[in-house]
Each structure stands twice: as C-alpha cells, then as structure tokens.
Coordinates of all heavy atoms in Angstrom, one line a residue:
M1 N 19.8 3.4 1.4 CA 20.5 3.8 0.2 C 20.8 2.6 -0.7 O 20.7 2.7 -1.9 CB 21.8 4.6 0.5 CG 22.5 5.1 -0.6 SD 21.5 6.4 -1.3 CE 22.6 7.3 -2.3
T2 N 21.2 1.5 -0.1 CA 21.5 0.3 -0.9 C 20.2 -0.2 -1.6 O 20.3 -0.6 -2.7 CB 22.0 -0.8 0.0 OG1 23.1 -0.3 0.8 CG2 22.5 -2.0 -0.8
K3 N 19.1 -0.1 -0.9 CA 17.8 -0.6 -1.6 C 17.4 0.3 -2.7 O 17.0 -0.2 -3.8 CB 16.7 -0.6 -0.5 CG 16.8 -1.6 0.5 CD 15.7 -1.6 1.5 CE 15.8 -2.7 2.6 NZ 14.7 -2.7 3.5
L4 N 17.7 1.6 -2.6 CA 17.4 2.5 -3.7 C 18.3 2.2 -4.9 O 17.8 2.2 -6.0 CB 17.6 4.0 -3.3 CG 17.4 5.1 -4.3 CD1 16.0 5.0 -4.8 CD2 17.8 6.4 -3.8
L5 N 19.6 2.0 -4.7 CA 20.5 1.7 -5.8 C 20.1 0.3 -6.4 O 20.2 0.2 -7.6 CB 21.9 1.6 -5.3 CG 22.5 3.0 -4.9 CD1 23.9 2.8 -4.3 CD2 22.5 3.9 -6.1
A6 N 19.6 -0.6 -5.6 CA 19.2 -1.9 -6.2 C 18.0 -1.7 -7.0 O 17.8 -2.3 -8.1 CB 18.9 -2.9 -5.0
L7 N 17.1 -0.9 -6.6 CA 15.8 -0.6 -7.3 C 16.2 0.1 -8.7 O 15.7 -0.2 -9.7 CB 14.9 0.3 -6.5 CG 13.6 0.7 -7.2 CD1 12.7 -0.6 -7.5 CD2 12.8 1.7 -6.3
L8 N 17.1 1.1 -8.6 CA 17.5 1.8 -9.8 C 18.2 0.9 -10.8 O 18.1 1.0 -12.0 CB 18.4 3.0 -9.5 CG 17.6 4.2 -8.8 CD1 18.7 5.2 -8.4 CD2 16.6 4.7 -9.7
G9 N 18.9 -0.1 -10.2 CA 19.7 -1.1 -11.1 C 18.7 -2.0 -11.9 O 19.1 -2.6 -12.9
K10 N 17.5 -2.1 -11.4 CA 16.5 -3.0 -12.1 C 15.8 -2.3 -13.3 O 15.2 -2.9 -14.1 CB 15.5 -3.5 -11.1 CG 16.0 -4.4 -10.1 CD 15.0 -4.9 -9.1 CE 15.5 -5.8 -8.1 NZ 14.5 -6.2 -7.1
I11 N 15.9 -0.9 -13.4 CA 15.3 -0.2 -14.4 C 16.1 -0.4 -15.7 O 17.3 -0.2 -15.7 CB 15.2 1.3 -14.1 CG1 14.4 1.5 -12.9 CG2 14.6 2.1 -15.3 CD1 14.4 2.9 -12.4
P12 N 15.5 -0.8 -16.8 CA 16.2 -1.0 -18.1 C 16.9 0.2 -18.6 O 16.4 1.3 -18.4 CB 15.1 -1.5 -19.0 CG 14.0 -2.0 -18.2 CD 14.1 -1.2 -16.9
T13 N 18.0 0.1 -19.2 CA 18.8 1.2 -19.7 C 18.0 2.0 -20.7 O 18.0 3.3 -20.7 CB 20.1 0.7 -20.4 OG1 20.8 -0.1 -19.4 CG2 20.9 1.8 -20.8
D14 N 17.2 1.4 -21.5 CA 16.3 2.1 -22.5 C 15.4 3.0 -21.8 O 15.2 4.2 -22.3 CB 15.5 1.0 -23.3 CG 14.6 1.7 -24.2 OD1 15.0 2.5 -25.0 OD2 13.4 1.4 -24.2
K15 N 14.8 2.6 -20.7 CA 13.9 3.5 -20.0 C 14.6 4.7 -19.4 O 14.1 5.8 -19.4 CB 13.1 2.7 -18.9 CG 12.4 1.5 -19.4 CD 11.4 1.8 -20.6 CE 10.7 0.6 -21.0 NZ 10.8 0.3 -22.4
L16 N 15.8 4.4 -18.8 CA 16.6 5.5 -18.3 C 17.0 6.5 -19.3 O 17.0 7.7 -19.1 CB 17.8 5.0 -17.5 CG 17.5 4.2 -16.3 CD1 18.8 3.6 -15.7 CD2 16.8 5.0 -15.2
L17 N 17.3 6.1 -20.5 CA 17.6 7.0 -21.6 C 16.4 7.8 -22.0 O 16.6 9.0 -22.3 CB 18.2 6.2 -22.8 CG 19.5 5.6 -22.7 CD1 19.9 4.7 -23.9 CD2 20.6 6.6 -22.5
H18 N 15.3 7.2 -22.0 CA 14.0 8.0 -22.3 C 13.8 9.0 -21.3 O 13.5 10.2 -21.6 CB 12.8 7.1 -22.4 CG 12.7 6.4 -23.8 ND1 12.1 7.0 -24.8 CD2 13.1 5.2 -24.2 CE1 12.1 6.2 -25.9 NE2 12.8 5.1 -25.5
F19 N 14.0 8.7 -20.0 CA 13.9 9.6 -18.9 C 14.9 10.8 -19.0 O 14.5 11.9 -18.8 CB 14.1 8.9 -17.6 CG 13.7 9.7 -16.4 CD1 12.4 9.7 -15.9 CD2 14.6 10.5 -15.7 CE1 12.0 10.5 -14.8 CE2 14.3 11.2 -14.6 CZ 13.0 11.2 -14.2
F20 N 16.1 10.5 -19.4 CA 17.1 11.5 -19.5 C 16.8 12.4 -20.6 O 16.9 13.7 -20.4 CB 18.5 10.8 -19.7 CG 19.6 11.8 -19.9 CD1 20.1 12.6 -18.9 CD2 20.1 12.0 -21.2 CE1 21.1 13.5 -19.1 CE2 21.1 12.9 -21.4 CZ 21.6 13.7 -20.4
V21 N 16.4 11.9 -21.8 CA 16.1 12.8 -22.9 C 14.9 13.6 -22.6 O 14.8 14.8 -22.9 CB 15.9 12.0 -24.2 CG1 15.3 12.8 -25.3 CG2 17.2 11.3 -24.6
G22 N 13.9 13.0 -21.9 CA 12.7 13.8 -21.5 C 13.1 14.9 -20.5 O 12.5 16.0 -20.5
F23 N 14.1 14.6 -19.6 CA 14.5 15.6 -18.7 C 15.2 16.8 -19.4 O 14.9 18.0 -19.1 CB 15.4 15.0 -17.6 CG 16.0 16.0 -16.7 CD1 15.2 16.5 -15.6 CD2 17.2 16.5 -16.8 CE1 15.7 17.5 -14.7 CE2 17.7 17.5 -15.9 CZ 17.0 18.0 -14.9
V24 N 16.0 16.5 -20.3 CA 16.7 17.5 -21.1 C 15.7 18.4 -21.8 O 15.8 19.6 -21.8 CB 17.8 16.9 -22.0 CG1 18.4 18.0 -22.9 CG2 18.9 16.3 -21.2
L25 N 14.8 17.8 -22.6 CA 13.8 18.5 -23.3 C 13.0 19.4 -22.4 O 12.7 20.5 -22.6 CB 12.9 17.6 -24.1 CG 13.5 16.9 -25.3 CD1 12.5 15.9 -25.9 CD2 13.8 18.0 -26.4
S26 N 12.5 18.8 -21.3 CA 11.6 19.4 -20.3 C 12.3 20.6 -19.7 O 11.7 21.7 -19.5 CB 11.1 18.5 -19.3 OG 10.4 17.4 -19.9
S27 N 13.6 20.4 -19.3 CA 14.3 21.5 -18.6 C 14.6 22.7 -19.5 O 14.8 23.8 -19.0 CB 15.6 20.9 -17.9 OG 16.5 20.5 -18.9
I28 N 14.5 22.5 -20.8 CA 14.7 23.6 -21.7 C 13.4 24.2 -22.1 O 13.2 25.4 -22.0 CB 15.5 23.1 -22.9 CG1 16.9 22.7 -22.6 CG2 15.5 24.2 -24.0 CD1 17.7 22.0 -23.7
L29 N 12.4 23.4 -22.5 CA 11.2 23.9 -23.1 C 10.2 24.4 -22.1 O 9.5 25.4 -22.3 CB 10.6 22.8 -23.9 CG 11.3 22.3 -25.2 CD1 10.7 21.2 -25.9 CD2 11.5 23.5 -26.1
I30 N 10.1 23.7 -20.9 CA 9.0 24.2 -20.0 C 9.4 25.5 -19.3 O 8.5 26.4 -19.3 CB 8.8 23.1 -18.9 CG1 8.1 21.9 -19.6 CG2 7.9 23.6 -17.8 CD1 7.9 20.7 -18.7
P31 N 10.6 25.8 -18.9 CA 10.8 27.2 -18.4 C 10.7 28.3 -19.5 O 10.3 29.4 -19.1 CB 12.3 27.1 -17.9 CG 12.5 25.7 -17.6 CD 11.7 24.9 -18.6
L32 N 10.9 27.9 -20.7 CA 10.8 28.9 -21.8 C 9.3 29.1 -22.2 O 8.9 30.3 -22.4 CB 11.6 28.5 -23.0 CG 13.1 28.6 -22.9 CD1 13.8 28.0 -24.1 CD2 13.5 30.0 -22.7
F33 N 8.6 28.1 -22.3 CA 7.2 28.1 -22.9 C 6.1 27.7 -21.9 O 4.9 27.6 -22.4 CB 7.2 27.3 -24.1 CG 8.2 27.7 -25.2 CD1 9.3 26.9 -25.5 CD2 8.0 28.9 -25.9 CE1 10.2 27.3 -26.4 CE2 8.9 29.3 -26.8 CZ 10.0 28.5 -27.1
N34 N 6.4 27.4 -20.7 CA 5.4 26.9 -19.7 C 4.6 25.7 -20.2 O 5.2 24.7 -20.6 CB 4.4 28.0 -19.3 CG 5.2 29.1 -18.6 OD1 6.1 28.8 -17.8 ND2 4.8 30.4 -18.8
W35 N 3.3 25.8 -20.2 CA 2.4 24.7 -20.7 C 2.7 24.3 -22.1 O 2.6 23.1 -22.5 CB 1.0 24.9 -20.4 CG 0.6 24.7 -19.0 CD1 0.5 25.7 -18.0 CD2 0.3 23.5 -18.4 NE1 0.2 25.1 -16.8 CE2 0.1 23.7 -17.0 CE3 0.3 22.2 -18.8 CZ2 -0.2 22.7 -16.1 CZ3 0.0 21.2 -17.9 CH2 -0.3 21.5 -16.6
S36 N 3.0 25.3 -23.0 CA 3.3 25.0 -24.4 C 4.5 24.1 -24.5 O 4.6 23.2 -25.3 CB 3.5 26.2 -25.2 OG 2.3 27.0 -25.2
G37 N 5.5 24.4 -23.6 CA 6.7 23.5 -23.6 C 6.4 22.1 -23.2 O 7.0 21.2 -23.7
F38 N 5.5 21.9 -22.2 CA 5.0 20.6 -21.8 C 4.4 19.9 -23.0 O 4.8 18.7 -23.3 CB 4.0 20.7 -20.7 CG 3.4 19.4 -20.4 CD1 4.0 18.4 -19.7 CD2 2.0 19.1 -20.8 CE1 3.4 17.1 -19.5 CE2 1.4 17.9 -20.5 CZ 2.1 16.9 -19.8
F39 N 3.5 20.5 -23.7 CA 2.9 19.9 -24.9 C 3.9 19.6 -26.0 O 3.7 18.7 -26.8 CB 1.7 20.7 -25.4 CG 0.6 20.7 -24.4 CD1 0.2 21.9 -23.8 CD2 0.0 19.5 -24.0 CE1 -0.9 21.9 -22.8 CE2 -1.1 19.5 -23.1 CZ -1.5 20.7 -22.5
M40 N 4.9 20.5 -26.1 CA 6.0 20.2 -27.1 C 6.7 18.9 -26.8 O 7.0 18.1 -27.6 CB 7.0 21.3 -27.2 CG 6.5 22.6 -27.8 SD 7.8 23.8 -27.7 CE 6.8 25.3 -27.9
V41 N 7.0 18.7 -25.5 CA 7.7 17.5 -25.0 C 6.8 16.3 -25.3 O 7.2 15.2 -25.8 CB 8.1 17.5 -23.5 CG1 8.6 16.2 -23.1 CG2 9.1 18.6 -23.3
V42 N 5.5 16.4 -25.0 CA 4.5 15.3 -25.3 C 4.5 15.0 -26.8 O 4.5 13.8 -27.2 CB 3.1 15.6 -24.7 CG1 2.1 14.6 -25.2 CG2 3.2 15.7 -23.2
F43 N 4.5 16.0 -27.6 CA 4.5 15.8 -29.0 C 5.7 15.1 -29.5 O 5.6 14.2 -30.3 CB 4.3 17.2 -29.8 CG 4.3 17.0 -31.3 CD1 3.2 16.6 -32.0 CD2 5.5 17.4 -32.0 CE1 3.3 16.4 -33.3 CE2 5.5 17.2 -33.3 CZ 4.4 16.7 -34.0
V44 N 6.9 15.6 -29.1 CA 8.1 14.9 -29.5 C 8.2 13.5 -29.1 O 8.6 12.6 -29.9 CB 9.4 15.7 -28.9 CG1 10.6 15.0 -29.1 CG2 9.5 17.1 -29.6
A45 N 7.8 13.2 -27.8 CA 7.8 11.8 -27.4 C 6.8 10.9 -28.2 O 7.2 9.8 -28.5 CB 7.4 11.8 -25.9
A46 N 5.6 11.5 -28.4 CA 4.6 10.7 -29.2 C 5.1 10.5 -30.6 O 5.0 9.4 -31.2 CB 3.3 11.4 -29.2
A47 N 5.7 11.5 -31.2 CA 6.1 11.5 -32.6 C 7.3 10.4 -32.7 O 7.3 9.7 -33.7 CB 6.6 12.8 -33.1
K48 N 8.2 10.4 -31.7 CA 9.3 9.4 -31.8 C 8.7 8.0 -31.7 O 9.1 7.2 -32.5 CB 10.2 9.7 -30.6 CG 11.5 8.9 -30.7 CD 11.3 7.6 -30.0 CE 12.6 6.7 -30.0 NZ 12.4 5.3 -29.7
E49 N 7.8 7.8 -30.8 CA 7.2 6.4 -30.7 C 6.4 6.0 -31.9 O 6.6 4.9 -32.4 CB 6.4 6.3 -29.4 CG 7.2 6.3 -28.2 CD 8.3 5.2 -28.1 OE1 7.9 4.0 -28.4 OE2 9.4 5.5 -27.8
V50 N 5.5 6.9 -32.4 CA 4.6 6.5 -33.5 C 5.3 6.5 -34.8 O 5.3 5.6 -35.5 CB 3.4 7.5 -33.5 CG1 2.6 7.3 -34.7 CG2 2.6 7.3 -32.2
F51 N 6.0 7.6 -35.1 CA 6.6 7.7 -36.4 C 7.9 6.9 -36.6 O 8.0 6.0 -37.5 CB 7.0 9.2 -36.8 CG 7.5 9.4 -38.1 CD1 6.7 9.2 -39.3 CD2 8.8 9.7 -38.3 CE1 7.2 9.4 -40.5 CE2 9.4 9.8 -39.6 CZ 8.6 9.7 -40.7
F52 N 8.9 7.1 -35.7 CA 10.2 6.4 -35.8 C 10.1 4.9 -35.5 O 10.6 4.1 -36.2 CB 11.2 7.1 -34.9 CG 12.6 6.6 -35.1 CD1 13.3 7.1 -36.1 CD2 13.2 5.8 -34.2 CE1 14.6 6.7 -36.3 CE2 14.5 5.3 -34.3 CZ 15.2 5.8 -35.4
D53 N 9.4 4.6 -34.4 CA 9.4 3.2 -34.0 C 8.3 2.4 -34.7 O 8.5 1.3 -35.1 CB 9.2 3.1 -32.4 CG 10.4 3.6 -31.7 OD1 11.5 3.7 -32.3 OD2 10.3 3.8 -30.5
Y54 N 7.1 2.9 -34.8 CA 5.9 2.2 -35.3 C 5.9 2.2 -36.9 O 6.0 1.1 -37.5 CB 4.6 2.7 -34.8 CG 3.4 1.9 -35.2 CD1 3.2 0.7 -34.7 CD2 2.6 2.4 -36.2 CE1 2.1 -0.1 -35.1 CE2 1.5 1.7 -36.6 CZ 1.2 0.4 -36.1 OH 0.1 -0.3 -36.5
Y55 N 5.9 3.4 -37.5 CA 5.8 3.4 -38.9 C 7.1 3.0 -39.6 O 7.1 2.3 -40.6 CB 5.3 4.8 -39.4 CG 3.9 5.0 -39.1 CD1 3.5 6.0 -38.2 CD2 2.9 4.2 -39.7 CE1 2.1 6.2 -38.0 CE2 1.6 4.4 -39.4 CZ 1.2 5.4 -38.6 OH -0.1 5.6 -38.3
L56 N 8.2 3.6 -39.2 CA 9.5 3.3 -39.8 C 10.2 2.0 -39.4 O 11.1 1.5 -39.9 CB 10.5 4.4 -39.6 CG 10.1 5.8 -40.2 CD1 11.2 6.8 -39.9 CD2 9.9 5.7 -41.7
E57 N 9.6 1.4 -38.3 CA 10.1 0.2 -37.7 C 11.6 0.2 -37.4 O 12.3 -0.7 -37.6 CB 9.8 -1.0 -38.6 CG 8.3 -1.2 -38.8 CD 7.9 -2.3 -39.7 OE1 8.8 -2.9 -40.4 OE2 6.7 -2.7 -39.8
K58 N 12.0 1.4 -36.9 CA 13.5 1.6 -36.5 C 13.7 1.1 -35.0 O 14.8 1.1 -34.6 CB 13.9 3.0 -36.7 CG 13.8 3.5 -38.1 CD 14.9 2.9 -38.9 CE 14.8 3.6 -40.3 NZ 15.9 3.1 -41.1
G59 N 12.6 0.9 -34.3 CA 12.7 0.5 -32.9 C 11.4 -0.2 -32.5 O 10.6 -0.5 -33.4
K60 N 11.3 -0.4 -31.2 CA 10.1 -1.1 -30.8 C 9.1 -0.1 -30.2 O 9.5 0.6 -29.2 CB 10.5 -2.1 -29.7 CG 9.3 -3.0 -29.2 CD 9.8 -4.0 -28.2 CE 8.6 -4.7 -27.6 NZ 9.0 -5.6 -26.5
F61 N 7.9 -0.1 -30.7 CA 6.9 0.8 -30.2 C 6.4 0.4 -28.8 O 6.0 -0.7 -28.6 CB 5.7 0.9 -31.2 CG 4.5 1.7 -30.7 CD1 4.5 3.0 -30.7 CD2 3.4 1.0 -30.1 CE1 3.5 3.8 -30.3 CE2 2.4 1.8 -29.6 CZ 2.4 3.1 -29.7
E62 N 6.6 1.3 -27.8 CA 6.1 1.0 -26.5 C 5.5 2.2 -25.8 O 6.1 3.3 -25.9 CB 7.3 0.6 -25.6 CG 7.9 -0.8 -26.0 CD 9.0 -1.2 -25.0 OE1 8.7 -1.4 -23.8 OE2 10.1 -1.3 -25.4
I63 N 4.4 2.1 -25.2 CA 3.8 3.1 -24.5 C 4.6 3.5 -23.3 O 4.7 4.7 -22.9 CB 2.3 2.7 -24.0 CG1 1.4 2.5 -25.2 CG2 1.7 3.8 -23.1 CD1 1.1 3.7 -26.1
A64 N 5.3 2.5 -22.7 CA 6.1 2.8 -21.5 C 7.3 3.7 -21.9 O 7.6 4.6 -21.1 CB 6.7 1.5 -21.0
D65 N 7.8 3.6 -23.1 CA 8.9 4.6 -23.5 C 8.3 6.0 -23.5 O 9.0 7.0 -23.1 CB 9.4 4.2 -24.9 CG 10.3 3.0 -24.8 OD1 10.7 2.5 -23.7 OD2 10.6 2.4 -25.9
F66 N 7.1 6.1 -24.1 CA 6.4 7.5 -24.1 C 6.3 8.0 -22.7 O 6.6 9.2 -22.4 CB 5.1 7.3 -24.8 CG 4.2 8.6 -24.7 CD1 4.5 9.7 -25.5 CD2 3.2 8.6 -23.8 CE1 3.7 10.8 -25.4 CE2 2.4 9.7 -23.7 CZ 2.7 10.8 -24.5
L67 N 5.8 7.2 -21.8 CA 5.6 7.6 -20.4 C 6.9 8.0 -19.7 O 6.9 9.0 -18.9 CB 4.8 6.5 -19.6 CG 3.4 6.3 -20.1 CD1 2.8 5.1 -19.4 CD2 2.5 7.5 -20.0
W68 N 7.9 7.2 -19.9 CA 9.2 7.5 -19.3 C 9.8 8.8 -19.9 O 10.5 9.5 -19.2 CB 10.2 6.4 -19.5 CG 10.1 5.3 -18.5 CD1 9.4 4.1 -18.7 CD2 10.7 5.2 -17.3 NE1 9.5 3.4 -17.5 CE2 10.4 4.0 -16.6 CE3 11.6 6.1 -16.5 CZ2 10.8 3.6 -15.4 CZ3 12.0 5.7 -15.3 CH2 11.6 4.5 -14.7
T69 N 9.5 9.1 -21.1 CA 10.0 10.4 -21.7 C 9.2 11.6 -21.1 O 9.8 12.6 -20.9 CB 9.8 10.3 -23.2 OG1 10.5 9.2 -23.7 CG2 10.4 11.6 -23.9
I70 N 7.9 11.5 -20.9 CA 7.2 12.7 -20.4 C 7.2 12.8 -18.9 O 6.8 13.8 -18.3 CB 5.8 12.7 -21.0 CG1 4.9 11.6 -20.4 CG2 5.8 12.8 -22.5 CD1 3.4 11.7 -20.7
A71 N 7.6 11.7 -18.2 CA 7.6 11.8 -16.7 C 8.4 13.0 -16.1 O 7.9 13.6 -15.2 CB 8.1 10.5 -16.2
P72 N 9.6 13.3 -16.6 CA 10.3 14.5 -16.1 C 9.5 15.8 -16.3 O 9.6 16.7 -15.5 CB 11.6 14.5 -16.8 CG 11.8 13.1 -17.4 CD 10.4 12.6 -17.6
S73 N 8.7 15.8 -17.3 CA 7.9 17.0 -17.6 C 6.9 17.3 -16.5 O 6.7 18.4 -16.0 CB 7.1 16.9 -18.9 OG 8.0 16.7 -20.0
V74 N 6.3 16.2 -16.0 CA 5.3 16.3 -14.9 C 6.0 16.7 -13.7 O 5.5 17.6 -13.0 CB 4.6 14.9 -14.7 CG1 3.7 14.9 -13.6 CG2 3.9 14.5 -16.0
F75 N 7.2 16.2 -13.4 CA 7.9 16.6 -12.2 C 8.3 18.1 -12.2 O 8.2 18.8 -11.3 CB 9.2 15.7 -12.0 CG 8.9 14.3 -11.7 CD1 9.6 13.3 -12.3 CD2 7.9 13.9 -10.8 CE1 9.4 12.0 -12.1 CE2 7.6 12.6 -10.6 CZ 8.4 11.6 -11.2
I76 N 8.8 18.5 -13.4 CA 9.2 19.9 -13.5 C 8.0 20.8 -13.4 O 8.1 21.9 -12.8 CB 10.0 20.1 -14.9 CG1 11.3 19.4 -14.8 CG2 10.1 21.6 -15.2 CD1 12.1 19.4 -16.0
L77 N 6.8 20.5 -14.0 CA 5.6 21.3 -13.9 C 5.2 21.4 -12.4 O 4.8 22.4 -11.9 CB 4.5 20.7 -14.7 CG 4.6 21.0 -16.2 CD1 3.5 20.3 -16.9 CD2 4.5 22.5 -16.5
L78 N 5.3 20.3 -11.7 CA 4.9 20.3 -10.3 C 5.8 21.2 -9.5 O 5.4 21.9 -8.6 CB 4.9 18.8 -9.7 CG 3.7 17.9 -10.2 CD1 4.0 16.5 -9.7 CD2 2.4 18.5 -9.7
I79 N 7.1 21.1 -9.7 CA 8.1 21.9 -9.0 C 7.8 23.4 -9.3 O 7.8 24.2 -8.4 CB 9.5 21.5 -9.4 CG1 9.8 20.1 -8.8 CG2 10.5 22.5 -8.9 CD1 11.1 19.5 -9.4
L80 N 7.6 23.7 -10.6 CA 7.3 25.1 -10.9 C 6.0 25.6 -10.3 O 5.9 26.7 -9.9 CB 7.3 25.3 -12.4 CG 8.7 25.1 -13.1 CD1 8.5 25.2 -14.6 CD2 9.7 26.2 -12.6
Y81 N 5.0 24.7 -10.3 CA 3.7 25.1 -9.8 C 3.7 25.4 -8.3 O 3.2 26.4 -7.8 CB 2.7 24.1 -10.1 CG 1.3 24.3 -9.6 CD1 0.5 25.3 -10.1 CD2 0.8 23.7 -8.4 CE1 -0.8 25.6 -9.6 CE2 -0.4 23.9 -7.9 CZ -1.2 24.9 -8.5 OH -2.4 25.1 -8.0
F82 N 4.4 24.5 -7.5 CA 4.4 24.6 -6.1 C 5.5 25.6 -5.6 O 5.5 25.9 -4.4 CB 4.6 23.2 -5.4 CG 3.4 22.4 -5.5 CD1 3.3 21.3 -6.3 CD2 2.2 22.8 -4.8 CE1 2.2 20.5 -6.3 CE2 1.1 22.0 -4.9 CZ 1.0 20.9 -5.6
N83 N 6.3 26.1 -6.4 CA 7.3 27.1 -6.0 C 6.9 28.5 -6.3 O 7.6 29.5 -6.1 CB 8.7 26.9 -6.7 CG 9.5 25.8 -6.0 OD1 9.3 25.6 -4.8 ND2 10.3 25.1 -6.8
K84 N 5.6 28.7 -6.7 CA 5.2 30.1 -7.0 C 4.7 30.7 -5.7 O 4.2 30.2 -4.8 CB 4.1 30.1 -8.0 CG 4.6 29.8 -9.4 CD 3.6 30.0 -10.5 CE 4.2 29.8 -11.8 NZ 3.2 29.9 -12.9

C-alpha cells in the first residue's frame, strides 16, 4: 500500500485533475449515450487541448493531458462491456 501511495504521489496534480474531470464526464455521458458518450468525452478533451491551450494560449498544449482525460472513459467502457 505504501508503494502505491508513493507512486500516486509522483503523478503531477495537473494530470490528476484531467483524470478527475474525465471521470466525471465519462460517468455521466457514457451511461446515458454509450459509445456516443465516449466520443463526446474525446471531443471535449481534444477541444480543450486544441482550442483553449493551443489556439488561445491559455495553457500548455499536451497530448498527455488529452490521454489522462480520456483514460477514465476507457475504463468505464471496459467495465460496462464486461458486466453484460
């Protein structure tokens, strides 16, 4: 357990925030819209990175942020798929 907490402590706060927001979006959209909900989460994550961070220069454009945002979607889809 101590090793797990040490590993989680090394994850930057920014990435954890992306994961949390992705989890909230995914937990709402995927149960309501299935695969369409997944693509909505992907669209929101991509739009945030491309439009807000890259074009408006309000943040730092990072592919890792996009991946951390959509990661919970993949987990939720796997859980829903294997629980049928």
Side-chain angles (χ1 to χ4, degrees):
M1 184 68 160
T2 308
K3 291 181 182 181
L4 177 63
L5 291 175
L7 179 65
L8 289 175
K10 293 180 182 178
I11 300 173
T13 306
D14 175 53
K15 304 306 183 235
L16 291 175
L17 289 173
H18 278 276
F19 190 87
F20 177 73
V21 169
F23 177 78
V24 170
L25 286 173
S26 300
S27 63
I28 294 169
L29 295 174
I30 291 174
L32 289 174
F33 301 108
N34 295 322
W35 280 98
S36 296
F38 170 74
F39 292 117
M40 288 179 203
V41 173
V42 170
F43 176 78
V44 168
K48 188 270 181 195
E49 288 302 313
V50 172
F51 183 72
F52 189 77
D53 290 346
Y54 184 74
Y55 287 117
L56 295 180
E57 298 178 352
K58 299 285 184 178
K60 183 179 177 190
F61 174 78
E62 291 186 62
I63 298 295
D65 287 348
F66 170 76
L67 295 175
W68 276 94
T69 306
I70 65 167
S73 301
V74 175
F75 295 136
I76 290 174
L77 282 175
L78 288 173
I79 290 168
L80 291 175
Y81 177 76
F82 286 112
N83 278 332
K84 286 187 177 181

